Amino acid sequence: MAHSAPSTQVGPGEAKTRRDFLLYATSATGAVGTALALWPFIHSMNPAADVLALSSSDIDLAPVVPGQAITVTWRGKPVFVRHRMPEEITAAQNVDFSTLPDPQKDEERVQKQNWLILVGVCTHLGCVPLGQKTTDPRGAYNGWFCPCHGSHYDTSGRIRKGPAPLNLAVPPYVFTSDTTIRIG
Amino acid sequence: MAVSSNRIVRWVDDRLPIFTLMHHSTSAYPTPNNLNYWWNFGSLAGFVLVVMILSGIFLAMNYTPHTAHAFESVERIMRDVNYGWLLRYLHMNGGSMFFALVYIHLFRGMYYGSYKSPREVLWWIGVIIFICMMATAFMGYVLPWGQMSFWGATVITNLFSAVPLVGTEIVTWLWGGFSVDNPTLNRFFSLHYLLPFIIFGLVVVHLWALHTVKSNNPLGIDIKGPQDTIPFHPYYTIKDLYGIGLFLMFYLFFVFFAPNFFGEPDNYIPANPMVTPPHIVPEWYFLPFYAILRAVPDKLSGVVLMFAAILVLFVLPWLDTSKVRSARFRPIYKQLFWIFFLDCLILGWIGAKPPEGAYLVIGRIATVYYFAHFLILLPLTGWFEKPRPLPDSIGAPVITTVKR
């Protein structure tokens, strides 16, 4: 009874087509509906409004003297702010940048020569490189040295030696006055 | 047997017959061909269980089980987390839906005698699931740490102080302190996360028992042969999906247009251990039992009676002495069933009213009737009722109609 052909009005081939159409239409509607219903669940794991609200930080640079570096927080990550000495700037500029693993001019990485601002996260696997304190190991190029897997960064934060593929990232920032910046 | 022509499927199935198991239990399961729409509610409850577990897992990613942060973290879910409001309203209203569906499922079992031999164990597992649901719902209600959460937790845990001799010690143990506080909230969160998975496991056992003894049906008579059944798939999968479609319209109406319909406004006030709200009521699905608790002027007896109201369901298969399952063929029981149903509604209504005056009297009468139904009326009806003649088979009534 239930296993037999659905109707005597239409031939077996026709019935199959109609039934197939219903099956595909139902399945497609179900699949689209399920996907739409899953989106809120997936999206709830993206940054929430209060997390996004923390996406900019204001920094006062006035107390930072030449040769000093400070670490500030932006989006939960360390941001290195180094007040570079003249010799550090010269060292960064006098490199044939085309020979570097991630070629970039020093001028492209700073807005004002003496202020170097970088996201302090190694581009290899996310450790925080050493070099903020004068007593830290700063690697072979006097910039930063990542203790996890031995990446050396120079005084422009560019990768020079070691496994990291890219230079330390420069966050988006603006000088809101001569001595203050807003990151993000 | 060959479950598939696919070689990989066959290779796996020869080593672990998971595809055969799935085929037997979901697709080929021989189902009585006369099930009506009241048989949709089991699968609906299973569907809501999955929705509850899913929305709960995602809520837990943003919830903080600490007295200082719980309320705020829930408000953050509502305001800041992407679609957090949707997840929370799905979960809040899902709880009410789950109980509504399970109550209908339970009353369906009572009407058609689904608890009778050979389905007693199937029925027991159902009652255990129901008890686990009540515990889960209660602890979940505590988590937002509003006024109703706190005082609900205080009142319900204090039920155990009625235990003779060691009551106080038990309550202290439940609290992990000398009042409902942070340790209580932490353990409730832990258990609220655990219990749904236990319920899920119990549902699997429930289905195992069901597939062993096969589904009951509106006629309440046994399956006589293959002519009385159809395979579960596609016939009942599509019928269940249709039911889910209708149910979703009902459920989502509340989620989107009346999300706080089942809730108490006082739970949007942060918990204050110093001030009890003037009018404490549990969620609607606990009201009948709450009414029984308050019907008795003695603390211990009230608590015992309330638990007895649930536990009596375990012995229902033996209290009902009739051999006929379906109320369709039991003229007296059919009327008793509807009176009992009405009695449960009255208890629910009384549970929401203050325990005084006429409400108290009505509550007491309804409580007495609740137990009389199980302990006196059911055994007597089974002995004295003259059932109507049963059809020869599930197919017989239909075949007779066709012949005529």
Side-chain angles (χ1 to χ4, degrees):
Chain A
M1 37 176 275
H3 304 274
S4 57
S7 168
T8 52
Q9 298 295 320
V10 285
E14 215 177 328
K16 190 165 167 41
T17 320
R18 219 156 92 180
R19 191 164 270 203
D20 283 352
F21 171 75
L22 279 172
L23 176 66
Y24 294 139
T26 311
S27 308
T29 311
V32 171
T34 309
L36 286 174
L38 284 179
W39 173 244
F41 289 80
I42 296 162
H43 192 42
S44 76
M45 291 172 71
N46 275 322
D50 62 330
V51 176
L52 293 174
L54 296 176
S55 60
S56 67
S57 305
D58 288 299
I59 319 294
D60 181 16
L61 301 180
V64 187
V65 297
Q68 190 185 357
I70 60 167
T71 306
V72 298
T73 309
W74 173 63
R75 285 184 170 180
K77 285 187 283 201
V79 168
F80 295 163
V81 178
R82 193 188 275 198
H83 196 166
R84 296 195 293 187
M85 306 284 274
E87 58 269 27
E88 290 177 327
I89 299 169
T90 327
Q93 287 173 340
N94 293 346
V95 177
D96 180 8
F97 72 92
S98 61
T99 64
L100 301 180
D102 181 15
Q104 212 176 9
K105 287 183 191 173
D106 184 56
E107 294 87 83
E108 293 168 18
R109 297 178 52 77
V110 291
Q111 290 182 20
K112 291 184 179 180
Q113 272 193 359
N114 44 342
W115 292 105
L116 178 63
I117 292 144
L118 302 167
V119 175
V121 176
C122 181
T123 57
H124 180 221
L125 291 172
C127 296
V128 178
L130 297 170
Q132 285 295 87
K133 293 178 196 155
T134 48
T135 51
D136 280 348
R138 283 184 163 177
Y141 299 88
N142 199 28
W144 288 268
F145 171 71
C146 185
C148 291
H149 306 96
S151 290
H152 298 252
Y153 296 93
D154 66 10
T155 53
S156 190
R158 291 173 297 201
I159 180 67
R160 300 295 287 269
K161 203 171 93 182
L166 298 171
N167 302 333
L168 291 178
V170 179
Y173 66 92
V174 288
F175 276 88
T176 43
S177 75
D178 277 352
T179 56
T180 53
I181 56 166
R182 170 172 294 164
I183 305 173
Chain B
M1 74 166 255
V3 288
S4 169
S5 54
N6 186 313
R7 277 177 56 211
I8 299 168
V9 170
R10 281 216 309 269
W11 187 90
V12 174
D13 205 66
D14 287 343
R15 284 146 184 85
L16 177 75
I18 185 163
F19 294 102
T20 305
L21 177 76
M22 276 161 50
H23 179 76
H24 274 301
S25 53
T26 61
S27 180
Y29 172 60
T31 320
N33 53 25
N34 62 337
L35 299 189
N36 59 28
Y37 275 104
W38 298 112
W39 263 260
N40 275 52
F41 288 85
S43 76
L44 278 176
F47 172 76
V48 174
L49 175 64
V50 173
V51 171
M52 291 302 277
I53 289 179
L54 261 184
S55 54
I57 287 172
F58 283 83
L59 283 172
M61 292 180 188
N62 286 296
Y63 170 76
T64 313
H66 189 285
T67 51
H69 305 290
F71 189 87
E72 276 174 38
S73 73
V74 172
E75 286 308 304
R76 181 177 167 270
I77 288 170
M78 294 301 292
R79 290 149 203 261
D80 287 347
V81 174
N82 304 315
Y83 291 107
W85 57 271
L86 180 59
L87 296 179
R88 176 162 172 265
Y89 282 154
L90 280 173
H91 203 71
M92 261 172 73
N93 290 284
S96 281
M97 294 301 138
F98 201 4
F99 274 96
L101 296 170
V102 162
Y103 278 135
I104 295 173
H105 190 59
L106 217 147
F107 278 115
R108 189 270 289 160
M110 287 183 170
Y111 187 86
Y112 294 110
S114 299
Y115 47 82
K116 291 186 193 182
S117 174
R119 299 187 178 83
E120 301 93 326
V121 174
L122 173 63
W123 175 258
W124 279 351
I125 298 160
V127 177
I128 296 170
I129 291 174
F130 177 52
I131 294 169
C132 286
M133 278 174 64
M134 295 176 100
T136 312
F138 158 65
M139 288 190 281
Y141 195 60
V142 176
L143 300 183
W145 210 241
Q147 273 290 68
M148 282 298 171
S149 301
F150 183 89
W151 293 102
T154 303
V155 169
I156 301 298
T157 47
N158 263 314
L159 291 178
F160 294 90
S161 69
V163 175
L165 300 174
V166 289
T168 319
E169 283 73 14
I170 289 177
V171 174
T172 308
W173 176 76
L174 285 174
W175 287 342
F178 303 98
S179 63
V180 173
D181 209 335
N182 202 44
T184 326
L185 179 59
N186 270 293
R187 62 189 61 184
F188 278 19
F189 178 56
S190 172
L191 294 172
H192 182 73
Y193 207 118
L194 167 72
L195 276 172
F197 294 95
I198 290 180
I199 293 176
F200 195 89
L202 287 167
V203 169
V204 172
V205 181
H206 196 59
L207 287 173
W208 183 16
L210 174 73
H211 288 206
T212 305
V213 296
K214 301 288 179 285
S215 303
N216 188 25
N217 64 82
L219 296 175
I221 56 177
D222 291 330
I223 296 167
K224 293 271 162 61
Q227 72 280 4
D228 288 339
T229 66
I230 44 176
F232 192 86
H233 182 75
Y235 298 101
Y236 285 109
T237 34
I238 203 69
K239 191 179 180 184
D240 281 349
L241 278 173
Y242 176 65
I244 286 176
L246 290 182
F247 164 73
L248 276 175
M249 289 188 214
F250 181 74
Y251 174 27
L252 295 180
F253 168 79
F254 287 101
V255 170
F256 289 116
F257 299 104
N260 290 298
F261 178 80
F262 298 106
E264 282 293 320
D266 273 15
N267 219 26
Y268 285 104
I269 303 169
N272 181 355
M274 300 300 126
V275 184
T276 307
H279 189 48
I280 291 246
V281 274
E283 294 280 87
W284 68 267
Y285 38 81
F286 291 139
L287 289 174
F289 302 104
Y290 195 57
I292 292 175
L293 170 76
R294 296 191 307 183
V296 188
D298 176 68
K299 183 171 172 178
L300 179 60
S301 315
V303 173
V304 168
L305 219 56
M306 190 187 71
F307 283 110
I310 303 163
L311 297 178
V312 71
L313 294 172
F314 278 110
V315 285
L316 175 59
W318 295 274
L319 291 173
D320 184 347
T321 49
S322 173
K323 292 280 173 261
V324 178
R325 295 196 190 100
S326 175
R328 280 194 191 175
F329 306 103
R330 301 187 58 194
I332 312 286
Y333 174 72
K334 192 190 222 169
Q335 294 171 45
L336 289 179
F337 170 86
W338 288 113
I339 297 170
F340 174 73
F341 179 72
L342 195 69
D343 187 58
C344 291
L345 292 185
I346 291 171
L347 281 170
W349 167 62
I350 291 295
K353 297 289 175 195
E356 56 203 23
Y359 296 132
L360 200 56
V361 179
I362 299 170
R364 283 179 181 163
I365 295 170
T367 302
V368 169
Y369 187 83
Y370 182 96
F371 287 99
H373 173 83
F374 285 110
L375 302 175
I376 300 166
L377 297 174
L378 279 189
L380 289 180
T381 313
W383 288 323
F384 294 110
E385 182 183 48
K386 190 179 179 310
R388 290 172 48 211
L390 295 173
D392 292 332
S393 74
I394 289 175
V398 188
I399 295 161
T400 321
T401 316
V402 171
K403 274 181 187 162
R404 202 185 300 145

